[in-house]
Amino acid sequence: MLRVLMFVVPLALSVYAFIDCISTDEQDIRHMPKPLWAILVLLFPLVGSISWLIAGKKRALAADGWSGVRGGGGRSRQWVAPDDNPEFLKSLDKDGDDNDGGGEGESDKKKRDEP
């Protein structure tokens, strides 16, 4: 089984890298012309494929709204984790006035302790 994986994984990586290379627009390719990248991936499957994936293509940024990074000044349109979101934290403070956040309230403890 391990012998098969040692053949199939580099082959799949090479096929993926070659198809990705030939289907990428010319302006999105870095460092070398597109035909040279394709030849590199075909002649040196493992090294060429890894080189293509790391250095050959300009990678797009994360999808809008899911990068988790806030923009510089002003209100950001991108997603922010709840513990970094000041509006969410303020809403917790408003809700926290009613409850101490400890789970059981004082009245629940008294009811439980009574026989």
Side-chain angles (χ1 to χ4, degrees):
M1 182 67 182
L2 188 58
R3 291 180 188 172
V4 173
L5 284 177
M6 289 175 54
F7 175 73
V8 171
V9 170
L11 179 66
L13 180 66
S14 299
V15 169
Y16 172 78
F18 182 71
I19 292 172
D20 190 36
C21 178
I22 61 173
S23 64
T24 301
D25 289 334
E26 194 72 39
Q27 66 263 16
D28 291 336
I29 296 179
R30 300 186 296 175
H31 305 296
M32 294 189 301
K34 187 180 198 176
L36 197 56
W37 274 114
I39 291 169
L40 181 73
V41 169
L42 288 176
L43 290 180
F44 305 101
L46 192 59
V47 174
S49 300
I50 292 171
S51 300
W52 166 254
L53 294 174
I54 292 173
K57 183 178 180 181
K58 291 179 187 173
R59 300 291 171 194
L61 296 174
D64 186 31
W66 292 102
S67 67
V69 177
R70 283 188 264 173
R75 189 175 182 116
S76 175
R77 292 183 54 211
Q78 292 182 336
W79 179 83
V80 178
D83 59 341
D84 291 336
N85 188 342
E87 288 137 14
F88 176 75
L89 295 173
K90 287 178 189 174
S91 72
L92 288 179
D93 288 339
K94 290 178 186 174
D95 294 341
D97 293 339
D98 300 337
N99 188 355
D100 64 352
E104 294 181 340
E106 289 295 322
S107 61
D108 292 339
K109 288 179 184 177
K110 288 179 183 177
K111 288 179 186 176
R112 185 184 60 186
D113 292 337
E114 291 178 3

